[in-house]
Amino acid sequence: MAKKEQFVIQELQQNAVEEKLQFEKEVLSNIVMLPELKSYIPKLHPDEFVLLEANIRKDGCREPLVLWANEGKYVIVDGHNRYSICQAYKIPFRFEIKNFESLDDVKLWMLNNQLGKRNLTDAQRSYLRGKQYELEKLKRGRPQKKGENVSSFSKRQKTVDKLAEQHKVSDRTIKNDERYAKIIDRLSANYPELKWKILNQDVELPKTAISFLESLDETNFQKVAKFLAEGRNFKKIVKNYRNTKKINLNEDSPKAIDWDKVHKIYDLFTDAIKTKNEALLKEIIRMMRGLD
């Protein structure tokens, strides 16, 4: 090979490397996180996040981030937690860029990606299926693209049947999942952290609660949301409502702990053990009940 040809090839290779580095620099300086998309990612428990952080600091970020190129920005589609950790500790990471036609298409990809994972709670899986159904119906209802056969629309499989087949559940389950997802979104509209507390099962909300919550007027519904965000017991909320036909924030409000009384009980308990005083133990039990 002539020296001139060798030089041309080397120059082309060098240009390709420089272009790649320039592109990577452009991407890394324009990565953004959309809260709307991050809300589709199951929130890690603190101990899970600590473990992920330790693994990335030890072994690096082994999985590439998935990005969506949109109007000069590169939106994170998958890898929100990994990105936060890498940014905090200046750890390099790889990325891949996927093309999507719309934000809804991004959401559907994220939902499918999450639903393919095995470590989901039943509540998380139900919520994600419900959101998938909601979005698929919206997509189906949009006007056909240019050149698409209009008559083919009626021949397409119903969305609910398609998703039921995909997830190996009944069509009724998919429809109930949509109702569940809507209830969760309403409850967490003013309390963003509540959604994943429920879906991670840190806050108990049985699926049988859907009909009860759908029957409430907006005022009582928002009171329930406030109760749950404060960590109140849902069964007590329902019992309170059935007795009074309204949700009274004062009746079920938690009592402040009387720490002076706790310390007094502790001292008495110590004395009772030393002296084996049964009468004093009974008095302590009575006092402890008063703390509830």
Side-chain angles (χ1 to χ4, degrees), residues 35-257:
E36 185 178 359
L37 293 182
K38 191 176 180 182
S39 69
Y40 280 75
I41 304 296
K43 189 168 183 179
L44 296 179
H45 281 289
D47 56 340
E48 292 175 322
F49 186 86
V50 168
L51 180 60
L52 177 64
E53 184 180 64
N55 287 338
I56 290 177
R57 293 186 69 183
K58 179 185 175 184
D59 302 322
C61 188
R62 292 182 291 182
E63 290 185 53
L65 274 63
V66 177
L67 308 175
W68 171 40
N70 182 47
E71 299 180 352
K73 298 295 181 182
Y74 295 88
V75 181
I76 298 179
V77 175
D78 184 52
H80 295 78
N81 292 312
R82 280 173 277 144
Y83 178 71
S84 297
I85 293 167
C86 288
Q87 286 292 95
Y89 296 100
K90 295 182 169 46
I91 297 170
F93 56 86
R94 293 174 294 119
F95 61 83
E96 59 179 85
I97 295 173
K98 287 189 176 292
N99 296 316
F100 299 97
E101 292 184 2
S102 68
L103 186 62
D104 282 351
D105 287 329
V106 174
K107 292 176 181 178
L108 283 169
W109 185 93
M110 292 176 71
L111 289 167
N112 272 305
N113 186 49
Q114 291 300 319
L115 283 163
K117 296 179 179 179
R118 296 182 181 180
N119 60 337
L120 296 174
T121 66
D122 287 342
Q124 288 172 353
R125 197 171 294 281
S126 182
Y127 175 81
L128 294 171
R129 284 194 307 244
K131 295 301 291 183
Q132 185 184 30
Y133 180 42
E134 191 177 46
L135 284 169
E136 288 279 12
K137 284 198 302 181
L138 285 172
K139 187 176 180 182
R140 184 186 178 93
R142 290 189 191 120
Q144 282 89 3
K145 296 177 184 177
K146 188 176 180 181
E148 184 177 0
N149 186 355
V150 177
S151 63
S152 68
F153 182 86
S154 59
K155 297 177 183 178
R156 281 187 256 164
Q157 188 179 25
K158 280 186 178 180
T159 303
V160 66
D161 293 333
K162 184 184 79 171
L163 295 182
E165 184 179 310
Q166 177 186 338
H167 298 297
K168 296 180 174 55
V169 296
S170 68
D171 58 350
R172 181 181 292 275
T173 296
I174 296 296
K175 289 177 181 178
N176 284 337
D177 287 339
E178 182 189 27
R179 291 171 62 203
Y180 181 67
K182 286 181 176 179
I183 285 293
I184 296 297
D185 285 345
R186 281 182 65 198
L187 286 171
S188 57
N190 297 319
Y191 310 96
E193 292 296 319
L194 178 59
K195 178 168 79 172
W196 291 111
K197 284 182 180 179
I198 294 172
L199 298 182
N200 288 341
Q201 297 176 335
D202 295 327
V203 170
E204 184 181 358
L205 183 72
K207 289 184 184 178
T208 52
I210 296 174
S211 295
F212 168 75
L213 290 168
E214 287 175 335
S215 71
L216 296 177
D217 60 41
E218 188 61 23
T219 299
N220 279 318
F221 186 92
Q222 290 305 324
K223 286 180 180 180
V224 172
K226 187 175 189 299
F227 266 120
L228 293 174
E230 292 172 353
R232 317 281 182 88
N233 184 286
F234 181 74
K235 290 179 181 177
K236 286 186 179 180
I237 297 173
V238 175
K239 184 178 179 181
N240 172 271
Y241 179 79
R242 285 176 177 164
N243 289 339
T244 63
K245 294 305 176 187
K246 64 180 179 179
I247 294 169
N248 191 320
L249 288 172
N250 295 322
E251 288 184 15
D252 197 42
S253 57
K255 297 178 182 177
I257 294 175

